[in-house]
Amino acid sequence: MPRLVMKFGGTSVADLDRIRSAAEKVRREVERGYDVAVVVSARAGETDELAGRVRATSTLYDAREYDTVVAAGEQVASGLMALTLQEIGVPARSWQGWQIPIHTTGAHGAARILEIETQEMVRKFGEGLHAVVSGFQGIGPDGRISTLGRGGSDTSAVALAAALGAERCDIYTDVDGIYTADPRIERRARKLDKIAYEEMLELASLGARVLQTRAVELAMRYKVRLQVLSSFGDQPGTLVCDEEEIVEQNVVSGVAHVRDEAKITLLKVPDRPGVAAAIFGPLADHGVNVDMIVQNIGADGMTDMTFSCPTDEVARARAALEAAQGALRYRELVVDDEVAKISVVGIGMRSHSGVARTMFSALAAEGINIKVITTSEIKVSVLIDRKYMELAVQALHQTFGLADD
Ligand code: ADP
Ligand code: ASP
Ligand code: MG
């Protein structure tokens, strides 16, 4: 029998009615002759609530216990989905990450999948039993529950599709595909029929949370046919595929944003070999995910170092840098936690110059000041004041001709 992975996100399993309509979609595929592995997220809001309870209990929490708590939402959803399938005549059982097992690294809270043992699940398919798998979770080398980072159920689904040799991995969510910008910010965003793995990888890593970055990485590596579509309708979604499959290609395919960024500057650090390592070493040791980095060298043998990180890591960054003050001897530490990151992405940039200039002019025309810039072969990102975030997304979307007129 051909196999199919169907993943349902938080809003798609938010209540019993929605679980029932998701189960109907599963039944339809079962009737088409597929062995189905359903991957579920926790009910919308549940993981946030569980994570909040961990933080309220312990500020510098033990990441293994964090995983024990936050993985619970998926366990409930998988049981309810299996029961619902049984109720509508689809034989199914739930599987937790450790039961399959889905082996991961030991980086609790941000683990990576190493291997999935599918033999038992495949044997059960042979008995006519479909699978409902808790997304987001696995088992670490320490034998304890691990989780894959926020949005990680997408990665569970793609990894399972690769391990099962599934014909497709369908990601059902609360939008009907991948858009040229987050449709919640840009109402004129256009749904794409297809998008290249590489572009989706950049968009995901630059904030388009519709797919977890790691999920796209795995889909690209294992050539998983990945489709994003709506749980609530029956329209076709967006296919993530090789760029050769895409006929029409804009220079820019999409605009992404990250709302909660912070910009941290160390002013007047004595400039000497090893200064960058001395700054970013302690930040890494404190688990701070540094994103953009800019260094300005002054004529006086001093340097200013600026970097960005998520706002909820500012406290840890500050603690790391204050502890290193003796060694670094910077004059001042300045935090601006009211910034956002806006990026434009497109594989067409490889063969077209001038995207950065067009982007900067469009932002200038709206009176938006750029604080930090980074570029790669297929993207340009800027940090700006958060209050201009929506305006910037809309202006760039318009400038690059992405709007749905
Ligand atoms: P799920 O719980 O189903 O995993 P998510 O909230 O993680 O859903 O992802 C879906 C959301 O991603 C959408 O509601 C949308 O607001 C957001 N999103 C951001 N960028 C895009 C984009 N380019 N295309 C579609 N959705 C996007
Ligand atoms: N429930 C987890 C989260 O909210 C995983 C997911 O939804 O993909 O991050
Ligand atoms: Mg998600």
Side-chain angles (χ1 to χ4, degrees):
M1 295 270 213
R3 296 173 189 153
L4 192 64
V5 172
M6 303 173 74
K7 180 253 171 178
F8 293 93
T11 40
S12 316
V13 294
D15 55 40
L16 294 181
D17 281 343
R18 289 191 174 173
I19 295 180
R20 215 164 292 133
S21 76
E24 287 297 344
K25 286 187 185 295
V26 175
R27 176 161 70 177
R28 237 181 294 160
E29 299 295 358
V30 167
E31 284 167 356
R32 286 190 182 123
Y34 287 104
D35 283 336
V36 179
V38 182
V39 174
V40 288
S41 292
R43 160 170 75 87
E46 174 114 24
T47 312
D48 284 336
E49 195 190 312
L50 293 170
R53 286 166 72 183
V54 170
R55 283 192 291 268
T57 309
S58 160
T59 26
L60 287 176
Y61 52 77
D62 176 344
R64 292 162 299 189
E65 302 306 347
Y66 166 89
D67 278 352
T68 302
V69 177
V70 298
E74 271 70 12
Q75 176 162 336
V76 175
S78 68
L80 292 173
M81 176 62 85
L83 286 170
T84 310
L85 286 166
Q86 291 170 7
E87 287 293 313
I88 62 168
V90 178
R93 65 153 281 188
S94 64
W95 297 83
Q96 306 315 304
W98 61 269
Q99 291 172 317
I100 298 175
I102 295 179
H103 296 285
T104 73
T105 60
H108 284 277
R112 289 163 79 95
I113 295 176
L114 296 171
E115 198 201 346
I116 303 183
E117 292 182 39
T118 54
Q119 304 88 307
E120 199 48 30
M121 188 180 292
V122 167
R123 210 173 59 75
K124 295 285 181 195
F125 281 153
E127 294 173 11
L129 201 58
H130 300 277
V132 182
V133 175
S134 283
F136 184 49
Q137 47 165 272
I139 178 169
D142 52 1
R144 305 199 47 182
I145 294 172
S146 55
T147 65
L148 308 177
R150 299 306 305 270
S153 296
D154 298 332
T155 302
S156 309
V158 173
L160 192 60
L164 288 170
E167 196 173 287
R168 232 176 37 244
C169 179
D170 287 340
I171 307 282
Y172 288 89
T173 183
D174 57 0
V175 281
D176 58 1
I178 297 161
Y179 280 70
T180 48
D182 187 341
R184 290 179 209 286
I185 301 273
E186 171 51 284
R187 279 190 299 117
R188 294 168 72 213
R190 187 165 45 84
K191 189 175 105 184
L192 299 162
D193 294 330
K194 292 181 177 177
I195 185 165
Y197 289 119
E198 264 186 81
E199 286 175 323
M200 192 59 230
L201 190 59
E202 285 283 4
L203 284 173
S205 73
L206 295 168
R209 74 193 154 108
V210 62
L211 287 174
Q212 201 197 33
T213 309
R214 181 78 182 135
V216 187
E217 239 170 61
L218 289 179
M220 183 156 117
R221 165 140 26 115
Y222 295 104
K223 297 272 177 249
V224 173
R225 281 184 89 72
L226 184 60
Q227 186 184 201
V228 174
L229 67 175
S230 168
S231 303
F232 309 121
D234 282 317
Q235 312 89 321
T238 302
L239 186 70
V240 188
C241 58
D242 278 324
E243 60 184 274
E244 289 74 34
E245 284 191 50
I246 301 172
V247 188
E248 249 180 86
Q249 188 71 62
N250 281 331
V251 177
V252 167
S253 297
V255 182
H257 69 276
V258 180
R259 180 185 299 273
D260 295 315
E261 287 277 288
K263 174 165 101 48
I264 299 182
T265 303
L266 290 179
L267 290 171
K268 302 262 179 226
V269 191
D271 190 18
R272 53 183 165 75
V275 62
I279 293 171
F280 295 105
L283 288 169
D285 293 342
H286 280 69
V288 177
N289 289 292
V290 171
D291 180 19
M292 301 160 126
I293 298 176
V294 182
Q295 184 177 9
N296 286 316
I297 314 271
D300 52 358
M302 296 288 183
T303 182
D304 293 340
M305 189 74 86
T306 297
F307 65 91
S308 66
C309 69
T311 42
D312 59 6
E313 293 177 11
V314 166
R316 266 186 277 160
R318 198 191 276 278
L321 294 170
E322 284 173 358
Q325 156 68 9
L328 292 170
R329 310 225 328 275
Y330 54 85
R331 176 91 40 91
E332 203 183 336
L333 188 156
V334 183
V335 175
D336 176 358
D337 57 7
E338 293 286 325
V339 296
K341 181 167 71 168
I342 314 290
S343 310
V344 299
V345 172
I347 42 182
M349 281 185 210
R350 287 196 203 117
S351 47
H352 285 78
S353 57
V355 170
R357 185 188 55 199
T358 307
M359 178 180 190
F360 303 154
S361 306
L363 294 172
E366 299 291 344
I368 300 172
N369 191 32
I370 298 171
K371 297 174 171 233
V372 178
I373 302 169
T374 55
T375 65
S376 80
E377 199 189 17
I378 66 163
K379 67 116 195 222
V380 184
S381 300
V382 296
L383 277 192
I384 60 169
D385 277 331
R386 187 173 306 139
K387 62 179 182 236
Y388 297 125
M389 188 185 82
E390 278 87 357
L391 179 62
V393 170
Q394 288 156 8
L396 295 172
H397 195 262
Q398 176 72 27
T399 298
F400 289 105
L402 299 173
D404 197 4
D405 308 294

